[in-house]
Amino acid sequence: MNPMRPVRFQHQPPYFAVIFTSLRTDIDDGYAETSDRMLELAADQPGFLGVESVREGAFGITVSYWTSLDAIRRWKQHGDHLIAQRRGRTEWYHDYRTRVCCVERHYGPESSSR
Amino acid sequence: MNPMRPVRFQHQPPYFAVIFTSLRTDIDDGYAETSDRMLELAADQPGFLGVESVREGAFGITVSYWTSLDAIRRWKQHGDHLIAQRRGRTEWYHDYRTRVCCVERHYGPESSSR
């Protein structure tokens, strides 16, 4: 069971999102640990707002939210993250796509506690 | 097994994305059929570029891509989609979040056939 839920934060648009979609290979070799570690490490970075992540079989979507493009750039260049990206390209992912976006508006139910 | 993979299309940035994240209730009552039907119907709309969708347990992420904000607005107002949105709010979703974004850049491996 995925413990995730739609993420909410005080920050209002505009803010930024990185949509990362990926198709896994069958190679494990530390994938789950690295994936969890990257989510934790991202959450410690300046400018991080939140993350949502789901995988069903081989296909997964992770969306992270940030206050600025600079914050995204710094996270992309983080040493541990660079190592994980390289392993992703060479071992863990058949295919992937990264999209950097500006979130122009967001909405949902008034309260999340329905 | 999710048949999805990272979606590719000729259209280059800027283009637009709708990130829809949701937390399901236990109520089924036509949810799967409506969800599949909405993906098909969206794909028929002018300005549609592609869609990626994953659910793991109660939590799901669907990202649809569009050529313009007008195309997104028209799809949001589509009659069958309005009915589905209402049922989502009242029956199928504990919580959800919709984010409308401008995709400023995208990248991935050179080829998707690794």
Side-chain angles (χ1 to χ4, degrees):
Chain A
M1 189 66 153
N2 195 313
M4 290 267 168
R5 49 183 308 143
V7 74
R8 280 152 193 273
F9 34 78
Q10 290 301 313
H11 202 90
Q12 294 301 305
Y15 54 91
F16 297 86
V18 179
I19 306 169
F20 177 73
T21 56
S22 63
L23 194 66
R24 288 272 287 112
T25 60
D26 292 332
I27 302 170
D28 243 334
D29 196 18
Y31 170 74
E33 296 79 355
T34 303
S35 175
D36 289 350
R37 169 87 183 111
M38 287 305 115
L39 290 183
E40 284 171 22
L41 195 58
D44 281 342
Q45 304 308 304
F48 175 87
L49 291 170
V51 67
E52 296 161 323
S53 189
V54 194
R55 182 165 301 280
E56 181 193 357
F59 184 66
I61 303 179
T62 297
V63 189
S64 58
Y65 301 99
W66 303 85
T67 55
S68 71
L69 291 172
D70 264 353
I72 291 172
R73 209 169 292 129
R74 280 194 302 267
W75 169 234
K76 194 185 173 196
Q77 296 302 325
H78 186 290
D80 292 359
H81 190 201
L82 284 174
I83 294 169
Q85 288 171 61
R86 189 173 321 120
R87 293 201 63 193
R89 283 194 301 271
T90 56
E91 296 174 56
W92 291 321
Y93 299 127
H94 270 302
D95 191 17
Y96 65 90
R97 206 76 179 154
T98 302
R99 293 179 168 94
V100 179
C101 316
C102 179
V103 180
E104 304 191 347
R105 61 180 191 275
H106 63 200
Y107 53 93
E110 291 303 303
S111 152
S112 65
S113 57
R114 295 193 313 144
Chain B
M1 188 67 153
N2 194 313
M4 289 267 168
R5 49 183 309 142
V7 75
R8 278 151 194 273
F9 35 78
Q10 289 303 312
H11 202 89
Q12 294 302 304
Y15 54 90
F16 297 86
V18 179
I19 306 169
F20 177 73
T21 57
S22 62
L23 195 66
R24 288 273 286 113
T25 60
D26 293 332
I27 302 170
D28 243 333
D29 197 18
Y31 170 74
E33 296 79 354
T34 304
S35 175
D36 289 351
R37 169 88 183 112
M38 287 305 114
L39 291 184
E40 284 171 20
L41 195 58
D44 281 341
Q45 303 308 305
F48 175 88
L49 291 170
V51 68
E52 296 161 324
S53 190
V54 194
R55 181 166 300 281
E56 181 193 356
F59 184 65
I61 303 180
T62 297
V63 189
S64 58
Y65 301 99
W66 303 85
T67 55
S68 71
L69 290 173
D70 264 352
I72 292 172
R73 211 169 290 126
R74 280 194 301 266
W75 169 234
K76 194 185 173 196
Q77 296 303 325
H78 186 290
D80 292 358
H81 191 202
L82 284 174
I83 295 169
Q85 288 171 62
R86 189 174 320 121
R87 294 201 64 192
R89 284 194 301 270
T90 56
E91 296 175 56
W92 291 322
Y93 299 127
H94 269 304
D95 192 17
Y96 66 90
R97 205 76 179 153
T98 303
R99 293 179 168 94
V100 179
C101 316
C102 179
V103 180
E104 304 192 347
R105 61 179 190 276
H106 64 200
Y107 53 92
E110 291 303 302
S111 152
S112 65
S113 56
R114 296 195 313 144

